[in-house]
Amino acid sequence: VSGSMGFGNKQAKEKEALRAFTGRMLDDSVIGMQTFSGSVQEIVPISLYKDVKSQVQNAINTLPILTNTQTRDGLTLSQQKLSAAISQNKFPDRKYFLIFLTDGIPEADPPILDAAHCEKIVYEPRIRSDRCFAKIQDPRNPPNVATEIKNLGVEIYSINITSQEVSDVEMGPLLEALLRDVASTPTADHYYTSLNGTDLTRILEKVFTDICS
């Protein structure tokens, strides 16, 4: 729900894909949802789909557009929620998957624009401001949050919503490397890219099929 999701019709495509994805779920499917921008929030607790069906649909329909992309904080919240569900054996005999969907580089809120805090700084004409690949929000820095999630037995799918904006192109290789590192192996089966979200529905259909198989 970062600010850049408001450009290029990306969030509309995201909502469309999420409606299609959840529309395929059975009542005894398990789902949880978190957002990460400006702050991190659990918008649907990990639950049986039948118990939160209306909450899920309302969460999708009312997804906001906020500010910066707090990648590490978002994955940390997911790690905490997954760890709790697994340690409490909340849903016996279930395997857990995390679908991590983002269109932006890790950002601090508020941003600190200097070399000590930024892996890279790029000017973005669209917002008339510099953007910083924030080291503090890189989930790979110790402790590696993605590794902690995988160590729980959770498979991670990462979906990179790309664009042709100046800073997205300049930062693209850094973000792709991060999301490939976050994804489970084999990477070719767990990492996807989507230009402006145009094929998100197809990607999530593929992920759904992989999970259910």
Side-chain angles (χ1 to χ4, degrees):
V1 295
S2 61
S4 53
M5 286 297 289
F7 295 97
N9 209 31
K10 287 187 284 187
Q11 194 179 77
K13 294 297 184 183
E14 176 188 30
K15 290 180 178 181
E16 178 183 303
L18 290 174
R19 290 188 194 102
F21 182 86
T22 56
R24 302 178 70 184
M25 287 185 165
L26 301 176
D27 281 351
D28 63 348
S29 299
V30 174
I31 186 173
M33 296 176 68
Q34 297 102 35
T35 58
F36 54 104
S37 177
S39 63
V40 297
Q41 295 185 50
E42 180 182 55
I43 57 175
V44 177
I46 298 175
S47 311
L48 289 172
Y49 184 52
K50 65 181 180 180
D51 295 333
V52 291
K53 191 177 298 186
S54 61
Q55 187 176 348
V56 167
Q57 296 309 315
N58 182 65
I60 294 170
N61 292 334
T62 59
L63 283 174
I65 292 174
L66 299 175
T67 55
N68 294 328
T69 306
Q70 282 138 299
T71 307
R72 184 183 185 88
D73 291 348
L75 282 172
T76 298
L77 177 64
S78 294
Q79 189 272 340
Q80 292 168 350
K81 298 301 179 180
L82 286 163
S83 179
I86 292 168
S87 65
Q88 295 165 16
N89 200 24
K90 193 173 181 181
F91 301 101
D93 304 318
R94 301 293 185 119
K95 179 170 174 57
Y96 290 82
F97 301 83
L98 172 63
I99 303 171
F100 181 61
L101 190 154
T102 184
D103 80 323
I105 58 172
E107 295 172 306
D109 194 18
I112 304 173
L113 300 171
D114 60 44
H117 295 87
C118 305
E119 186 71 26
K120 187 172 184 176
I121 300 172
V122 175
Y123 180 75
E124 176 52 68
R126 176 185 57 188
I127 58 174
R128 299 178 183 177
S129 179
D130 285 331
R131 294 184 68 201
C132 163
F133 190 106
K135 296 177 182 178
I136 196 172
Q137 284 295 333
D138 188 331
R140 297 168 296 182
N141 290 332
N144 188 314
V145 184
T147 298
E148 290 184 342
I149 293 172
K150 294 170 193 175
N151 287 343
L152 294 170
V154 177
E155 281 187 40
I156 303 178
Y157 291 87
S158 60
I159 302 174
N160 183 5
I161 303 177
T162 62
S163 82
Q164 295 301 310
E165 302 297 338
V166 172
S167 60
D168 286 344
V169 172
E170 289 287 323
M171 297 282 199
L174 287 175
L175 181 59
E176 179 177 349
L178 184 154
L179 292 180
R180 284 182 174 275
D181 289 341
V182 165
S184 292
T185 55
T187 310
D189 296 331
H190 292 85
Y191 169 75
Y192 295 90
T193 62
S194 177
L195 180 61
N196 287 325
T198 52
D199 57 346
L200 272 179
T201 297
R202 178 191 63 79
I203 290 171
L204 285 183
E205 284 177 354
K206 173 68 165 58
V207 171
F208 191 99
T209 301
D210 287 352
I211 289 173
C212 290
S213 66

